[in-house]
Amino acid sequence: MARNTQVSADHNAPPITQILAQFVSTHPSRGWSDALDLEAHRTWMNWLGCAVGATQHEAADAALAAVQMLQPAPQASVLGRLEKVDMASAALINGITSHTFDFDDTHLKTIIHPAGPVASALLALAEHTGSSGREVIDALVLGIDVACRVGNAMYPDHYDRGWHITGSTGTLGAAAACARLLKLDVQKTAMALGIAASQPIGMREQFGTMTKPFHPGAAARAGLMSALLASQGYTASPKALEAPRGMMQTISTKNDWNEITGELGQRFEIAFNSYKPFACGIVIHPSIDACAQLRGQGVTPDQIESVELKVHSLVLELTGKKEPTDGLQAKFSVYHGCAAGLTFGRAAEEEFADSIVSRDDMVALRRKVVATVDDSIDEASADVTAVLKDGRRVHVFVEHAIGSLKKPMSNAQLEAKFHSLSDAILGQSQTSELIKACFALGQAANVSAMVALAKPRV
Amino acid sequence: MARNTQVSADHNAPPITQILAQFVSTHPSRGWSDALDLEAHRTWMNWLGCAVGATQHEAADAALAAVQMLQPAPQASVLGRLEKVDMASAALINGITSHTFDFDDTHLKTIIHPAGPVASALLALAEHTGSSGREVIDALVLGIDVACRVGNAMYPDHYDRGWHITGSTGTLGAAAACARLLKLDVQKTAMALGIAASQPIGMREQFGTMTKPFHPGAAARAGLMSALLASQGYTASPKALEAPRGMMQTISTKNDWNEITGELGQRFEIAFNSYKPFACGIVIHPSIDACAQLRGQGVTPDQIESVELKVHSLVLELTGKKEPTDGLQAKFSVYHGCAAGLTFGRAAEEEFADSIVSRDDMVALRRKVVATVDDSIDEASADVTAVLKDGRRVHVFVEHAIGSLKKPMSNAQLEAKFHSLSDAILGQSQTSELIKACFALGQAANVSAMVALAKPRV
């Protein structure tokens, strides 16, 4: 018990827990630019579409069945379904569905998917407590700022060590957001962060299983409960984040405190949030984008003799699966991505359906793609040439793919993505209304109308 | 995303997750000695007494108030109180109360307090599902084995790094125990362990706050939910514990797999569980024991001129507080421990009450204790000489304190401890009945009668 062998403990960290608590509890409502406020609405809307879209997935069914064993009170809604459960369980399940398709938002600097933990906790709490839409958006911006700043401080060491950084920082983000929504004072907000600090969630080994999306769900639940506990007087260390044996030094050997304190309240990390146009790993996106542009220029699959694809070595290392046999494998196949882009002009969740992946024309088109490595091409770029049967060569170079920070998805593109996820669940017209409600959340008296639109009509 | 900088990853670990799942789901009922089965009952009884004793603590009030915000179904009981809550919340709260006084069991090799996470999850689940007492005891032995073996493998690196090892391994122990109680097959048990593996809980920075006992409570809850999720088909990595980016390599750089696989099913870690006779850190116990022995030899406080105490340097380093002003401080004062031993012959929770700590006679007696460091004396020993006003010197040397593995508490001493915790809550005669029910748990048709005895009569 007297050993003190902790590696490179920093006993001089600034009071991060207190600084973040002060920020979260006192930053003015809408204390940021209009552009940033719009980004918060886009983050919210993208998150909600992903959650609705995956609501019939077997992971959602299994999680809901387990939660039903607790006979939960009907406090808050499961998005895209008719069931209501207690607010903590709603946070869990909506967090799971929002990440099930790996289609949610990405804070590119840390690979955190911040909305899953934060928005899932907020919506469940807001539905039960009647918070205004403005309060929800404020809490979303602040909660995401906490999660991503802590992520910035620990990344990449913490991620390389094996942590799924979305779940490990997400508990803090959810706790911060819920503390704000509950209007906790500085001290109680610090306690909420402190309780959350004992609950980092998620290992990367779980990637490819239902426990990957469980991470943001469990983080949402744990963060919400941390705020509820603090609201009732439960205590934690006021230095729980930064102390030598606090959360951050226990789970990361890199901790750059300046990433947390620098420009706090002026620079907001949600400004660096991005949205995936394609339902697969980001490294394939430039190739899909280029092929969709070829299709836009009139190239059709039946004209094609071959496709010459030049990409960074990382692309083939991570997604070089030439002959995928199902949808999950296809998400790791740049060849399928190209075939989807050329055939459909998009690669949303439905273009990764098993039935699409195994179609003869898709198999044939994938085989026409010849990929070569060219490390003079950036990881974020792709060089594609369609060689046509008539001898013509049509060339597209994508420097930054759609969805990147340099070329963000437009609102219209986000809406099209939302429809691709939600129309089958809620119908097209209700989906359109729901999208409008998301963009108008900041003006809504409460979240009831939006939640009602996110349920299928019986 | 392509970086692979994880330090010293072991890609050749044995399939620990599968091995433990096989063990937990197939080991025969009562597949151990009678002595071990008795130890399991002693562990259960000691855990339950601690939980009943702390049930009026403000930590229990705050946690219960937060849980009530979820409007839980009355599935399972809060020990020592009339409230019932859903089984996951009951696991949380009973786990909190069982560790609130720092008076629960200790697996000395790892400093894990194993019953908190495991028994708290089991009782809540058993109360709701109607499991037999035999099934509960079986699951207790197996769950504690999983938690302590994983602890053995990672200790001390994992603990030194900052983890509160009770909570970080406790989730696995609780998941294993609940999987056994639910009669999950090998594959689903592996999934339960896998889901739990993403949820290690607790940092040492929280010591001294309510979040310390939150750790076993939250571990109990998370382990129970992991088993419920697995029972409904939720999946995780089948290598979640041992893979390079699985739980153990992510949270510890030391992983001795042999500690998990060696003598599995033959050596049971619950055999190495110990129970505290005194409600404070183990390092003070030899001194208290020695002083209680002096009292037993007829030495009374009013006879005492001074007390010469010789101890290992670690004792004063950790518990050298000479003038404690409240009960919490007194738990870190070997001087108060000696005064309590001399005055009361014991140092249960009530001897650490603020009102006792501030009593004039206690203050005076503490000041008569002269402690000196002698590193030839083991940490587990104490050398005490009472110098009396009439010039006599009475000497006691304690090599192994009562409560250590070398000198375990007798059943009668455990019962006396239980009474000291429970009589004020449940009354003396009901407490006696409850103790009997604990010792007879292995023969009980279900846990109902025992649970009824653990509630105050209105």
Side-chain angles (χ1 to χ4, degrees):
Chain A
M1 285 166 92
R3 278 184 318 273
N4 209 326
T5 61
Q6 193 193 43
V7 190
S8 68
D10 179 358
H11 292 266
N12 299 305
I16 296 299
T17 310
Q18 205 62 32
I19 289 168
L20 287 175
Q22 176 84 29
F23 166 59
V24 166
S25 60
T26 64
H27 192 82
S29 173
R30 203 169 175 162
W32 40 73
S33 69
D34 288 351
L36 195 98
D37 212 61
L38 174 60
E39 206 57 56
H41 284 81
R42 284 158 51 91
T43 290
W44 182 272
M45 178 264 217
N46 182 71
W47 159 79
L48 201 148
C50 290
V52 168
T55 198
Q56 300 295 338
H57 191 276
E58 57 187 347
D61 289 341
L64 187 55
V67 160
Q68 299 287 22
M69 295 173 85
L70 305 181
Q71 301 168 287
Q75 294 181 322
S77 298
V78 178
L79 290 168
R81 301 178 74 123
L82 298 174
E83 290 94 341
K84 292 184 83 170
V85 293
D86 69 88
M87 53 183 161
S89 297
L92 170 70
I93 294 171
N94 293 332
I96 289 173
T97 52
S98 73
H99 193 52
T100 295
F101 289 156
D102 272 318
F103 208 8
D104 47 341
D105 53 326
T106 307
H107 178 255
L108 288 168
K109 199 169 156 186
T110 55
I111 335 181
I112 290 174
H113 308 290
V118 178
S120 304
L122 276 176
L123 178 62
L125 180 59
E127 184 179 355
H128 184 60
T129 60
S131 306
S132 74
R134 182 71 253 155
E135 290 167 334
V136 171
I137 292 290
D138 288 349
L140 180 74
V141 172
L142 298 169
I144 286 180
D145 218 50
V146 167
C148 292
R149 282 175 174 270
V150 172
N152 287 343
M154 301 195 297
Y155 190 87
D157 171 83
H158 169 70
Y159 185 79
D160 290 341
R161 187 171 292 276
W163 285 97
H164 185 198
I165 190 167
T166 294
S168 56
T169 65
T171 313
L172 293 175
C178 292
R180 171 77 182 203
L181 207 64
L182 290 165
K183 301 184 173 65
L184 301 189
D185 64 19
V186 180
Q187 284 319 307
K188 285 189 169 170
T189 300
M191 295 298 102
L193 291 173
I195 300 165
S198 271
Q199 303 170 79
I201 288 162
M203 310 299 159
R204 287 169 60 193
E205 169 59 23
Q206 310 283 8
F207 288 9
T209 76
M210 291 183 191
T211 297
K212 187 185 189 218
F214 174 78
H215 297 159
R221 188 195 190 287
L224 170 54
M225 284 310 298
S226 298
L228 296 184
L229 282 160
S231 79
Q232 298 296 333
Y234 211 84
T235 62
S237 165
K239 302 180 295 178
L241 271 75
E242 70 273 15
R245 283 168 178 148
M247 170 184 176
M248 295 177 67
Q249 297 203 52
T250 296
I251 63 178
S252 183
T253 52
K254 181 212 156 201
N255 280 293
D256 182 351
W257 312 115
N258 292 330
E259 288 285 356
I260 296 177
T261 53
E263 299 180 278
L264 187 64
Q266 291 153 35
R267 181 193 83 221
F268 292 90
E269 291 300 310
I270 202 172
F272 310 106
N273 211 11
S274 69
Y275 316 99
K276 288 184 179 178
F278 311 124
C280 55
I282 272 178
V283 77
I284 319 185
H285 289 205
S287 302
I288 300 172
D289 191 354
C291 288
Q293 289 186 35
L294 286 172
R295 179 176 179 274
Q297 291 177 26
V299 174
T300 57
D302 59 299
Q303 297 175 310
I304 293 176
E305 179 70 34
S306 69
V307 177
E308 297 172 3
L309 171 67
K310 287 192 271 186
V311 288
H312 188 274
S313 56
L314 182 65
V315 177
L316 295 187
E317 190 185 313
L318 293 179
T319 61
K321 196 168 276 292
K322 181 95 193 184
E323 303 273 356
T325 58
D326 61 25
L328 191 59
Q329 288 187 12
K331 293 200 172 193
F332 298 90
S333 170
V334 69
Y335 303 97
H336 182 74
C338 287
L342 285 162
T343 305
F344 307 108
R346 51 181 247 174
E349 186 60 25
E350 50 196 289
E351 283 75 35
F352 289 95
D354 293 350
S355 58
I356 298 287
V357 173
S358 59
R359 250 168 53 176
D360 289 346
D361 62 324
M362 296 300 284
V363 174
L365 193 50
R366 283 199 296 263
R367 289 179 179 163
K368 290 183 177 174
V369 178
V370 181
T372 53
V373 164
D374 182 345
D375 277 349
S376 72
I377 296 176
D378 192 82
E379 300 169 18
S381 305
D383 185 295
V384 183
T385 302
V387 182
L388 305 189
K389 289 171 180 166
D390 64 8
R392 278 189 301 141
R393 298 173 60 87
V394 190
H395 175 250
V396 169
F397 176 70
V398 166
E399 188 179 1
H400 299 288
I402 177 71
S404 67
L405 281 179
K406 291 274 174 57
K407 203 175 160 193
M409 287 179 79
S410 67
N411 288 352
Q413 287 168 323
L414 278 178
E415 290 180 29
K417 173 182 173 181
F418 197 119
H419 276 288
S420 80
L421 287 160
S422 168
D423 284 0
I425 311 285
L426 303 176
Q428 192 180 358
S429 77
Q430 188 179 328
T431 295
S432 296
E433 287 180 74
L434 178 55
I435 291 170
K436 276 187 209 148
C438 286
F439 275 120
L441 179 57
Q443 290 84 54
N446 55 55
V447 299
S448 306
M450 187 181 63
V451 168
L453 287 168
K455 290 181 173 296
R457 298 219 167 112
V458 199
Chain B
M1 286 168 92
R3 276 184 320 272
N4 210 327
T5 63
Q6 193 193 41
V7 191
S8 68
D10 178 359
H11 292 265
N12 298 306
I16 295 300
T17 309
Q18 206 62 31
I19 289 168
L20 288 175
Q22 177 83 28
F23 167 58
V24 166
S25 60
T26 64
H27 192 82
S29 174
R30 204 170 174 161
W32 40 73
S33 69
D34 288 350
L36 196 98
D37 212 60
L38 174 60
E39 206 58 55
H41 284 81
R42 284 159 51 90
T43 290
W44 182 271
M45 177 264 215
N46 183 72
W47 159 79
L48 201 149
C50 291
V52 167
T55 199
Q56 300 295 338
H57 191 276
E58 58 187 347
D61 289 341
L64 186 56
V67 160
Q68 299 286 24
M69 295 173 85
L70 305 180
Q71 301 168 285
Q75 295 181 322
S77 299
V78 178
L79 291 166
R81 302 179 72 125
L82 298 174
E83 291 92 343
K84 291 184 84 170
V85 294
D86 70 87
M87 53 183 162
S89 297
L92 170 69
I93 294 171
N94 293 332
I96 289 173
T97 52
S98 73
H99 194 53
T100 295
F101 288 156
D102 271 318
F103 207 9
D104 46 341
D105 54 326
T106 307
H107 178 255
L108 288 168
K109 199 169 157 187
T110 56
I111 336 181
I112 290 174
H113 308 288
V118 179
S120 304
L122 277 176
L123 178 62
L125 181 58
E127 183 179 354
H128 184 58
T129 60
S131 305
S132 73
R134 182 71 254 155
E135 291 167 335
V136 171
I137 292 291
D138 288 348
L140 180 74
V141 172
L142 297 169
I144 285 180
D145 219 49
V146 167
C148 292
R149 281 173 175 271
V150 172
N152 287 342
M154 301 193 298
Y155 190 87
D157 170 83
H158 170 69
Y159 185 79
D160 290 341
R161 187 172 291 277
W163 285 97
H164 184 197
I165 190 169
T166 294
S168 56
T169 65
T171 313
L172 294 175
C178 292
R180 171 79 182 201
L181 207 64
L182 289 165
K183 302 183 172 65
L184 300 190
D185 63 19
V186 180
Q187 284 321 307
K188 284 189 169 170
T189 301
M191 295 299 102
L193 291 173
I195 300 164
S198 270
Q199 304 170 78
I201 289 160
M203 310 299 160
R204 288 169 60 192
E205 169 59 22
Q206 309 283 7
F207 289 9
T209 76
M210 291 183 193
T211 297
K212 187 184 188 219
F214 175 79
H215 297 160
R221 187 194 191 289
L224 169 54
M225 285 308 299
S226 298
L228 296 184
L229 284 160
S231 79
Q232 299 296 333
Y234 211 85
T235 61
S237 165
K239 303 180 293 176
L241 271 75
E242 70 273 16
R245 282 165 178 149
M247 171 185 175
M248 295 177 67
Q249 297 203 53
T250 297
I251 63 178
S252 182
T253 52
K254 182 212 157 200
N255 280 294
D256 182 351
W257 311 115
N258 292 329
E259 289 285 357
I260 296 177
T261 54
E263 300 180 278
L264 187 64
Q266 292 153 36
R267 181 193 83 222
F268 292 90
E269 291 300 309
I270 201 172
F272 310 106
N273 211 11
S274 70
Y275 316 100
K276 288 184 181 178
F278 313 123
C280 56
I282 271 180
V283 77
I284 319 184
H285 289 204
S287 302
I288 301 172
D289 191 352
C291 288
Q293 289 187 34
L294 285 172
R295 180 176 178 274
Q297 292 177 27
V299 173
T300 58
D302 60 301
Q303 297 175 309
I304 292 176
E305 179 69 34
S306 70
V307 177
E308 296 172 4
L309 171 69
K310 288 192 272 186
V311 288
H312 188 274
S313 56
L314 181 65
V315 177
L316 295 187
E317 189 186 312
L318 292 178
T319 60
K321 196 167 279 290
K322 181 93 193 183
E323 304 271 356
T325 57
D326 61 24
L328 191 60
Q329 288 187 11
K331 294 201 170 191
F332 298 91
S333 170
V334 69
Y335 303 97
H336 182 74
C338 288
L342 286 162
T343 305
F344 307 108
R346 51 181 249 175
E349 186 59 26
E350 49 195 290
E351 283 75 35
F352 290 95
D354 293 352
S355 58
I356 298 287
V357 173
S358 60
R359 250 169 52 176
D360 289 346
D361 61 324
M362 296 299 285
V363 174
L365 193 50
R366 284 198 297 261
R367 288 180 179 162
K368 290 182 177 174
V369 178
V370 181
T372 53
V373 164
D374 181 346
D375 277 349
S376 70
I377 296 175
D378 192 82
E379 299 169 19
S381 306
D383 184 295
V384 183
T385 302
V387 181
L388 306 190
K389 288 173 180 165
D390 64 8
R392 278 189 299 141
R393 297 172 62 85
V394 188
H395 174 249
V396 168
F397 176 70
V398 166
E399 187 179 1
H400 299 289
I402 176 72
S404 66
L405 281 178
K406 291 275 173 58
K407 204 175 159 193
M409 287 179 80
S410 67
N411 288 352
Q413 287 168 324
L414 278 178
E415 290 181 29
K417 173 182 172 180
F418 197 118
H419 276 288
S420 80
L421 287 159
S422 169
D423 285 0
I425 311 286
L426 303 176
Q428 193 181 358
S429 76
Q430 188 179 327
T431 295
S432 296
E433 289 180 73
L434 178 55
I435 291 171
K436 275 185 210 148
C438 287
F439 275 120
L441 179 57
Q443 290 83 53
N446 56 54
V447 300
S448 305
M450 187 181 63
V451 167
L453 287 168
K455 290 180 173 296
R457 296 211 172 119
V458 198

